[in-house]
Amino acid sequence: MAEECIIITILLIFAILAMLRYKRKRWAIAILPLLVLPVVSSVAGVVSKYILGVEFKFIGAVITIMTAMIVSCTWIGFLTATLLQRRKTRTSYMIVCIAFDVILAAVLLSDYYTALPQ
């Protein structure tokens, strides 16, 4: 699943660059918390597989992914309170971003769960 997270990270970086190109600095900053979960997941998977030479176990994956999700959601909440002015914008931003994090974490954890030996 590390390869898929690398692709998600690249797509989010392209979104940030597009926002910067169209002079939407606040929205480029607002996309940054979405990078936490796929970056942490891909780095943990690549480090454990290629550098350490061990398999990334389910418990390690749960701890890593849930910690990254908590950090990302906290960062989203902070940006919502400080970066965005309109209430409608803040509400929709927070709902969509946290839903993205929760769904991605569920997909990542289900992938690690199905890879468990029976």
Side-chain angles (χ1 to χ4, degrees):
M1 201 66 183
E3 296 84 13
E4 289 85 355
C5 285
I6 291 171
I7 292 171
I8 292 170
T9 303
I10 291 170
L11 291 174
L12 288 172
I13 289 172
F14 283 151
I16 291 170
L17 293 175
M19 291 296 170
L20 289 174
R21 182 175 179 207
Y22 291 110
K23 309 224 185 319
R24 304 279 187 187
K25 183 180 173 186
R26 286 185 175 181
W27 285 106
I29 293 170
I31 295 173
L32 287 176
L34 298 178
L35 286 171
V36 173
L37 190 58
V39 167
V40 167
S41 179
S42 62
V43 167
V46 169
V47 166
S48 68
K49 187 175 183 180
Y50 297 113
I51 295 176
L52 299 177
V54 296
E55 187 179 337
F56 198 45
K57 300 290 182 184
F58 180 69
I59 297 299
V62 168
I63 292 170
T64 304
I65 291 170
M66 295 308 285
T67 303
M69 189 177 76
I70 290 169
V71 168
S72 178
C73 289
T74 304
W75 193 3
I76 289 168
F78 173 75
L79 287 180
T80 301
T82 59
L83 193 65
L84 306 172
Q85 285 87 23
R86 294 189 352 218
R87 182 178 178 164
K88 186 176 180 181
T89 306
R90 287 187 301 202
T91 305
S92 60
Y93 166 75
M94 185 176 263
I95 290 170
V96 170
C97 289
I98 290 177
F100 174 82
D101 276 345
V102 170
I103 292 168
L104 183 60
V107 168
L108 292 171
L109 290 176
S110 70
D111 182 60
Y112 284 112
Y113 183 74
T114 56
L116 284 175
Q118 302 301 340

